[in-house]
Amino acid sequence: MQPGDMNEVITFERLTTTDNGGGGQVETWTAIVPVSWAKVTPKSGSEQVRAMQVGTAQMFDIWLYSRRDITEADRITRSSGDVLRIRFIADETNSAFMTILAEKVTP
């Protein structure tokens, strides 16, 4: 992996909960700063049935400089606007880079 291979800006987002002022709570996705440069590569695709509807799922490998503030509960927004669910984070202990397996689901 060369730094020049990372040609897309991605944003990590974390689900946060705030009071709505009426006794309830609202969940929103909040960007985790800073954004990251990454190499995003399609890996595979499949068709799935969820709630009696057919949708497609596409997996991506994402390479970027290592970060310690990301978890599988976070998500990724690509510069194209696509939202990816993080499925697995492979962070090598002595490496400058990390790999993320993420999924885009299209209903």
Side-chain angles (χ1 to χ4, degrees), residues 6 36-37 63-70 89-99:
M6 295 183 283
S36 295
W37 283 93
W63 291 273
L64 64 149
Y65 285 111
S66 288
R67 294 180 60 154
R68 301 281 181 231
D69 60 337
I70 305 303
I89 299 173
D91 191 6
E92 301 296 329
T93 305
N94 295 321
S95 175
F97 300 100
M98 64 190 295
T99 306

Side-chain angles (χ1 to χ4, degrees), residues 3-4 6 13 15 23 31 33-34 37 39-40 45 48 56 61 63 65 71 74-76 92 100 106:
M6 295 183 283
E13 297 177 331
L15 190 62
V33 179
W37 283 93
K39 178 180 179 182
V40 181
Q48 301 175 352
T56 59
D61 281 329
W63 291 273
Y65 285 111
T71 72
D74 299 329
R75 72 179 190 181
I76 297 169
E92 301 296 329
I100 296 174
T106 307

